Amino acid sequence: MGLLDLTAAELAGQIKAGKTTAVEAMEAVIANIDSKEKELNCYVTFDREAALSAAREAQKKIEAGELDGPLAGVPVAIKDNMCTKDVLTTCSSKILGNFVPQFSSDAVERIKAAGAVMIGKTNMDEFAMGSTTETSAYGATKNPWNTQHVPGGSSGGSAAAVAAGECFCALGSDTGGSIRQPASYCGVVGMKPTYGTVSRYGLIAYGSSLDQIGPLCKDVTDCAVIMEVMAGHDPKDSTSVERKDTDFTSALVNDVTGMRIGIPRDYFGDGLDPQVKKAVLDAAEVLRSKGAVVEEFDLSLVEYAIPAYYTIAAAEASSNLERFDGVKYGYRAKDYEGLHSMYKKTRSEGFGAEVKRRIMLGSFVLSSGYYDAYYLKALRVKAMIKKAFDEAFSKYDVILGPVAPTTAPELGSSLADPIKMYLGDIYTISVNLAGLPGMSVPCGKDENGLPIGVQLIGDCFNEKKLIQTAYTYEQARGKFE
Amino acid sequence: MAKQYETVIGLEVHVELATKTKIFCGCSTAFGGAPNTHTCPVCTGMPGSLPVLNKQVVEYAAAVGLATNCEITKHCKFDRKNYFYPDNPQNYQISQLYLPICRNGHVDIELADGTTKSVRIHEIHMEEDAGKLIHDDWEDVSYVDFNRSGVPLIEIVSEPDMRSAEEVIAYLEKLRLIIQYLGASDCKLQEGSMRADVNLSVREVGSSEFGTRTETKNLNSFSAIARAIEAERDRQIDLIESGEPVIQETRRWDDNKAYSYAMRSKEDAQDYRYFPDPDLVPLNISDEWLDEIRSRQPEFKTEKMKRYSEEFGIPEYDINIITDSKKLADIFEATTALCNQPKKVSNWILGETMRILKEKEMEPEDITFSPENLAKLIKLVEAGTINGSVAKDIFAVIFDEDVDPESYVKEKGLAQVSDEGELRAVVEKVIADNPQSVADYRNGKDKAIGFLVGQTMKAMKGKANPGLVNKILKELL
């Protein structure tokens, strides 16, 4: 078994035990990047010298006994919408093509404090807007299982890097499914925590009321380890929650006896690929056989989630992205006459088509005369969706369903029809609207060998139940290959 | 008969709050730093930065609301006002539209004819200030300084209840006094820590409908406000009389030219696309918190006047002037506590202090001398250590440099000379040197003694005890 077969937690254990070093681990990752990256394009920024010297530094500290966190010496990839001090942070956009932050995001600071060594910044859909990583200004990322297919998105670079062994684990962000869906497409574990669990400070905002940072990793144990490292109250983020139950590794228990699992019938209707359906229901059977109480129920309101989500997320995005104007940092158009021409040209040239579409949509729903009809109505739908979940969680510990209607589509097949692409978010976005934790765990493959993920959704602050359920399932399933 | 018009005025008053740090970050609000030195990722709109509300801003805003009889919105929110301008680093301003912190208040103003009038307050909301653009005409470039970006403001919006410049100024003076008493702001119009925009329309007397209003900006003093109101009233009446429409627009006042010009009309008004800021959680002001703020409300002018009259027995006239400024009232109380001479303290404030303020074109809020030194000065005069004229000279130095008068007197040798032998010798010399004045006095010209006293004081460099000099002169003559 090679180094790259180890999980992040296993690697940290071996480094701690002196069986390998942070430098050897980084060298193994770099060798793998050298052979695969040209085809996969997981990274926007990868500086081998910086990565190696960071690994050497970490190893020195580990040997000196100064660094013994749970990720000590582990090479980690960071999605390119998280600020990293002195390291280019582009959001995969031309408009931030030269942007080097003055500070690192809180989540990055926390994993670094736990010993993680950054490899580079992963590719994504521009400003996290997209479901395929094809809207990146720096080229699409390919799915390591089949490079004719997309890795999903928007955290596609992070998911593909984990699946391809171009890192041991990665950070992603999830506004409407951007961790869970690429995790599903790439056969890795991904978690979107309860809103407020991981600080958003330093995460370049897309939809502020929906965005959460979370891990993409090789297995459930890594997921729990990284969550434990990243979760915590941050006074710099007003939406950050103070919670004491963040000892997520304590939930790595192989037992679901009596766990009440609800399967929403609404998630298994038209549009769901039969192969995905079968794999997901098989996973539910596995959990039933392990002692869980599994039953179907009607969640309701599912069809309203997509319009509500695209109204709220686009509204927030239209305002969040106003600061990219060519005045202070980032791209500025070359030829312009006067201030307004500078704004117009900079933003027209700096943003890609999908970002512009969402800015226009968001500006529209907030404009005077439409605010009540669209934005306020969407907020009401959001509140109703939360209520529907509250009712469900009065009966169930965990909701189980598909992550996405299909497996990874072929490259180039999604962007032509944005509505179809938006509909692909149907199972993931209500989780963001309701602020809930959600997880994607590999549960099978389709006939083309593309991975399928099962989604586990918990009530707010119930990540532990998800981890316990996922861990038990993973133990029964065996290694995902 | 010519038509009679009534002016209808409402005000939007921006007040910069006196917090030490900005509204959404820990940067200093101090004036005068080099450009972009009081800045951080939050107040320069760096990607990934997030705002965190400064609680002191809420306390000041609520305190102003309580003092102006407002209802406090216990569950209030911040909204984003979206517009592109380079002094606005995020291209949205965090403000309050839907649920402002205070609503439905009023202040009572006293008018020259002795009547009082209530001016209603529509709302008070909290918001952040923008940065400042500096245009370099030589290089044809503009620079931006974000030191003011994120400085907390409250905007106090009145109902259109005022009918004249006099009422407007009475309202502004009342607001300023309340806010200064609260310590929430120094409210200096010249420096922009208080800014008033005037919404004005005219209508025929007796009409119940409002005319089309304009908003006039850039008013940097009470007198400029009065001039702008008169000019705008006349301009609108002229338009109406000549059958032209008044256009709803924003106008900028140029006080040097006593003229306003249109900045933008309602047609090109922007759609600010207000919506609740998702980066800030709704603000809940609990009853306990509000009680705490209420319990800290200071004694305002009316109560102070009553107490001064009972406690210090100084004239109504003095009390009115002293309590018209929080700063003067503070100095009066602190100095009186130290020297127990309320009338003397009041005299120093109404006399020399006001004289120097006027001479130097300063506001009471600019005073830097300490009550300790004024109290010491009063004691030195009382003890006969210095005479009144020397005291005035020393006070001028105290006013400028806040010197300790005791050590200053010693250092400069200014103590009054009351040694009769020493004075007698000087007086004898003055009598010898001025035979004409002596003759005049002896011939019944009583005034001539004044000249001789003056000559003696001059010879003594002002330090002679004037009573003693008079006595010796009369003896010798």
Side-chain angles (χ1 to χ4, degrees):
Chain A
M1 199 162 98
L3 267 183
L4 291 178
D5 295 319
L6 299 175
T7 65
E10 287 166 352
L11 176 67
Q14 295 223 356
I15 293 172
K16 205 165 284 177
K19 290 180 187 158
T20 186
T21 66
V23 182
E24 280 172 5
M26 186 60 84
E27 281 167 348
V29 165
I30 290 174
N32 201 32
I33 288 174
D34 284 342
S35 75
K36 293 179 177 171
E37 179 62 4
K38 209 167 177 188
E39 189 172 14
L40 296 179
N41 191 33
C42 297
Y43 288 93
V44 175
T45 298
F46 162 59
D47 178 343
R48 76 181 58 231
E49 280 318 310
L52 270 174
S53 96
R56 282 187 212 108
E57 186 77 12
Q59 185 60 34
K60 233 186 266 170
K61 284 188 183 163
I62 291 165
E63 283 166 16
E66 293 162 12
L67 191 62
D68 68 344
L71 295 171
V74 177
V76 179
I78 312 287
K79 187 177 182 180
D80 208 23
N81 59 351
M82 282 166 237
C83 287
T84 41
K85 189 171 189 272
D86 301 330
V87 177
L88 192 67
T89 298
T90 71
C91 281
S92 285
S93 179
K94 183 179 173 183
I95 212 158
L96 285 179
N98 60 1
F99 176 63
V100 179
Q102 303 165 310
F103 64 95
S104 286
S105 60
D106 186 73
V108 168
E109 292 285 3
R110 283 178 196 252
I111 64 155
K112 282 197 169 168
V117 185
M118 186 174 82
I119 309 162
K121 306 294 295 289
T122 56
N123 200 14
M124 54 188 280
D125 282 297
E126 185 181 3
F127 284 104
M129 298 179 191
S131 314
T132 63
T133 314
E134 291 172 298
T135 70
S136 167
Y138 306 106
T141 297
K142 316 283 165 49
N143 192 316
W145 295 81
N146 182 335
T147 54
Q148 298 301 306
H149 289 253
V150 303
S154 66
S155 310
S158 286
V162 174
E166 290 194 20
C167 64
F168 282 84
C169 57
L171 301 194
S173 68
D174 191 317
T175 308
S178 281
I179 289 173
R180 289 158 290 155
Q181 184 254 33
S184 170
Y185 285 1
C186 291
V188 301
V189 175
M191 176 182 261
K192 178 242 161 229
T194 306
Y195 186 75
T197 300
V198 178
S199 168
R200 293 187 298 113
Y201 194 82
L203 172 69
I204 301 179
Y206 158 26
S208 312
S209 71
L210 309 163
D211 296 341
Q212 265 296 286
I213 291 172
L216 289 114
C217 17
K218 295 184 181 181
D219 70 358
V220 177
T221 303
D222 279 3
C223 179
V225 168
I226 299 167
M227 276 303 303
E228 203 165 290
V229 167
M230 286 199 299
H233 180 246
D234 178 6
K236 299 188 296 305
D237 174 1
S238 309
T239 62
S240 164
V241 177
E242 271 183 81
R243 50 187 292 197
K244 295 194 169 68
D245 58 338
T246 54
D247 54 332
F248 298 115
T249 50
S250 70
L252 293 166
V253 176
N254 186 4
D255 180 19
V256 286
T257 313
M259 188 82 80
R260 296 164 304 164
I261 297 176
I263 297 183
R265 280 187 205 98
D266 341 37
Y267 276 27
F268 291 83
D270 290 345
L272 180 62
D273 182 311
Q275 297 181 72
V276 174
K277 180 177 178 177
K278 183 176 183 305
V280 169
L281 291 176
D282 285 352
E285 277 315 305
V286 170
L287 288 164
R288 191 201 300 275
S289 74
K290 300 294 283 183
V293 181
V294 180
E295 62 180 50
E296 293 184 5
F297 75 105
D298 295 310
L299 181 60
S300 84
L301 297 170
V302 174
E303 66 271 33
Y304 299 109
I306 288 178
Y309 168 83
Y310 277 95
T311 301
I312 293 167
E316 293 178 2
S318 71
S319 174
N320 285 332
L321 269 58
E322 281 165 352
R323 67 186 65 199
F324 308 113
D325 59 2
V327 172
K328 306 163 290 282
Y329 41 74
Y331 176 77
R332 182 188 290 183
K334 299 250 159 355
D335 304 306
Y336 53 84
E337 278 167 35
L339 180 64
H340 284 273
S341 149
M342 193 280 283
Y343 282 151
K344 215 178 216 172
K345 284 196 157 183
T346 296
R347 289 168 63 84
S348 298
E349 294 166 15
F351 290 130
E354 184 60 32
V355 171
K356 282 184 231 173
R357 182 173 11 249
R358 294 192 197 188
I359 289 174
M360 286 188 281
L361 177 63
S363 302
F364 175 76
V365 298
L366 289 179
S367 54
S368 116
Y370 298 100
Y371 180 83
D372 291 3
Y374 292 96
Y375 185 74
L376 271 192
K377 194 169 275 179
L379 287 186
R380 272 183 226 123
V381 171
K382 179 183 171 178
M384 286 166 75
I385 287 172
K386 173 79 173 83
K387 210 166 149 246
F389 274 109
D390 285 345
E391 263 170 51
F393 286 117
S394 69
K395 287 180 283 182
Y396 306 108
D397 298 305
V398 171
I399 292 172
L400 181 150
V403 176
T406 64
T407 53
E410 279 187 52
L411 283 159
S413 66
S414 302
L415 294 187
D417 187 353
I419 296 292
K420 194 180 157 204
M421 182 170 83
Y422 298 167
L423 289 173
D425 298 338
I426 186 155
Y427 309 127
T428 47
I429 52 182
S430 346
V431 170
N432 300 79
L433 288 172
L436 308 171
M439 204 169 171
S440 172
V441 182
C443 68
K445 273 176 253 171
D446 70 2
E447 58 196 6
N448 300 316
L450 288 166
I452 298 167
V454 57
Q455 181 173 215
L456 304 173
I457 301 167
D459 200 358
C460 283
F461 312 117
N462 272 333
E463 283 86 353
K464 281 186 185 171
K465 282 181 184 166
L466 298 187
I467 289 168
Q468 186 174 344
T469 308
Y471 183 75
T472 305
Y473 171 72
E474 189 180 63
Q475 294 299 308
R477 183 202 66 198
K479 196 166 169 63
F480 188 78
E481 287 172 301
Chain B
M1 196 182 114
K3 286 178 182 168
Q4 293 294 306
Y5 291 95
E6 179 182 46
T7 318
V8 176
I9 307 166
L11 291 189
E12 290 169 27
V13 178
H14 283 92
V15 174
E16 217 170 73
L17 298 179
T19 54
K20 289 199 173 61
T21 58
K22 293 184 178 179
I23 183 167
F24 297 122
C25 63
C27 290
S28 164
T29 55
F31 255 108
N36 296 307
T37 51
H38 299 163
T39 58
C40 73
V42 176
C43 57
T44 54
M46 294 308 277
S49 65
L50 293 171
V52 177
L53 178 63
N54 178 346
K55 291 266 176 351
Q56 180 70 54
V57 173
V58 180
E59 297 194 349
Y60 277 149
V64 174
L66 290 172
T68 53
N69 310 296
C70 287
E71 296 159 11
I72 306 297
T73 314
K74 294 202 173 147
H75 179 85
C76 73
K77 281 184 184 176
F78 284 93
D79 302 297
R80 291 187 186 175
K81 178 182 183 180
N82 298 283
Y83 66 96
F84 278 78
Y85 204 64
D87 66 3
N88 175 10
Q90 307 155 120
N91 287 319
Y92 58 79
Q93 178 196 30
I94 305 178
S95 179
Q96 294 192 295
L97 177 75
Y98 296 108
L99 293 168
I101 182 164
C102 312
R103 281 194 284 217
N104 302 329
H106 66 88
V107 295
D108 296 327
I109 55 174
E110 288 83 36
L111 301 170
D113 63 8
T115 59
T116 61
K117 174 170 182 171
S118 181
V119 176
R120 290 169 302 155
I121 289 172
H122 180 77
E123 67 170 67
I124 300 175
H125 61 253
M126 303 176 274
E127 60 188 26
E128 55 177 342
D129 206 349
K132 200 172 93 184
L133 292 184
I134 300 154
H135 304 287
D136 183 335
D137 292 334
W138 294 101
E139 298 283 333
D140 191 28
V141 289
S142 300
Y143 299 98
V144 61
D145 174 6
F146 288 127
N147 282 354
R148 305 311 296 159
S149 166
V151 167
L153 303 175
I154 51 173
E155 182 175 341
I156 305 165
V157 183
S158 83
E159 297 289 354
D161 285 351
M162 288 159 276
R163 297 289 175 269
S164 66
E166 188 208 348
E167 291 182 13
V168 166
I169 292 183
Y171 168 75
L172 284 170
E173 280 179 338
K174 185 81 187 219
L175 276 187
R176 183 169 71 165
L177 195 59
I178 288 170
I179 295 167
Q180 285 175 345
Y181 265 93
L182 285 166
S185 172
D186 55 13
C187 290
K188 293 182 183 169
L189 268 84
Q190 260 88 353
E191 289 179 17
S193 61
M194 185 180 201
R195 313 191 270 265
D197 300 335
V198 173
N199 284 295
L200 184 149
S201 64
V202 296
R203 63 180 173 190
E204 268 191 67
V205 170
S207 165
S208 59
E209 289 188 12
F210 291 126
T212 304
R213 70 168 188 273
T214 60
E215 181 181 356
T216 304
K217 290 180 177 288
N218 194 39
L219 304 167
N220 301 324
S221 66
F222 284 153
S223 52
I225 291 169
R227 280 190 289 273
I229 287 172
E230 295 310 325
E232 182 56 17
R233 170 193 157 87
D234 292 348
R235 193 187 69 87
Q236 290 190 16
I237 291 173
D238 283 352
L239 283 173
I240 293 166
E241 296 267 301
S242 58
E244 286 176 57
V246 174
I247 296 164
Q248 188 176 337
E249 63 194 0
T250 303
R251 302 181 66 83
R252 186 179 165 87
W253 176 251
D254 184 330
D255 203 43
N256 292 325
K257 295 178 184 159
Y259 170 78
S260 72
Y261 56 91
M263 290 165 73
R264 54 176 183 264
S265 79
K266 193 194 171 197
E267 277 67 45
D268 35 71
Q270 299 184 52
D271 183 349
Y272 292 119
R273 291 177 286 116
Y274 277 98
F275 77 109
D277 191 327
D279 287 333
L280 290 161
V281 286
L283 176 64
N284 286 303
I285 303 173
S286 66
D287 290 337
E288 292 75 39
W289 193 13
L290 202 54
D291 286 345
E292 213 182 294
I293 296 167
R294 197 176 277 121
S295 73
R296 288 199 299 259
Q297 292 291 82
E299 182 188 41
F300 290 104
K301 181 179 166 85
T302 317
E303 300 102 74
K304 244 190 220 308
M305 285 184 71
K306 191 160 171 282
R307 182 167 65 85
Y308 281 16
S309 159
E310 288 164 4
E311 205 171 303
F312 303 121
I314 54 172
E316 202 71 6
Y317 175 82
D318 293 24
I319 295 175
N320 194 32
I321 291 177
I322 291 170
T323 56
D324 240 349
S325 153
K326 168 79 161 40
K327 183 77 186 184
L328 294 181
D330 286 347
I331 292 172
F332 172 77
E333 289 182 32
T335 312
T336 303
L338 291 165
C339 69
N340 203 23
Q341 299 268 12
K343 183 56 188 153
K344 292 252 155 55
V345 177
S346 168
N347 289 347
W348 277 106
I349 292 174
L350 267 61
E352 281 307 284
T353 307
M354 295 305 272
R355 187 186 64 76
I356 299 175
L357 284 175
K358 199 174 170 200
E359 181 187 294
K360 295 185 186 259
E361 293 183 351
M362 287 165 67
E363 297 285 329
E365 285 64 42
D366 302 324
I367 290 174
T368 51
F369 70 78
S370 60
E372 286 74 16
N373 288 333
L374 176 55
K376 279 183 186 171
L377 184 71
I378 290 169
K379 283 184 189 162
L380 287 172
V381 178
E382 205 54 25
T385 314
I386 52 173
N387 65 39
S389 97
V390 169
K392 280 185 184 174
D393 294 343
I394 298 175
F395 180 75
V397 186
I398 292 177
F399 188 96
D400 288 337
E401 298 164 40
D402 198 26
V403 292
D404 177 344
E406 285 170 2
S407 32
Y408 188 78
V409 163
K410 271 186 206 140
E411 197 183 303
K412 303 275 175 185
L414 296 174
Q416 179 165 266
V417 177
S418 302
D419 182 300
E420 216 175 318
E422 190 183 342
L423 287 180
R424 188 173 291 270
V426 177
V427 170
E428 277 166 359
K429 187 167 186 296
V430 166
I431 287 174
D433 290 350
N434 295 283
Q436 185 58 53
S437 297
V438 172
D440 287 350
Y441 179 75
R442 285 185 178 140
N443 290 333
K445 282 190 181 173
D446 286 353
K447 274 184 185 170
I449 199 165
F451 176 76
L452 296 170
V453 172
Q455 289 301 305
T456 312
M457 291 305 275
K458 193 178 169 191
M460 291 296 295
K461 296 199 173 75
K463 293 181 289 181
N465 180 332
L468 210 50
V469 171
N470 255 308
K471 183 178 151 255
I472 295 168
L473 259 173
K474 281 186 182 155
E475 266 175 42
L476 293 177
L477 292 171

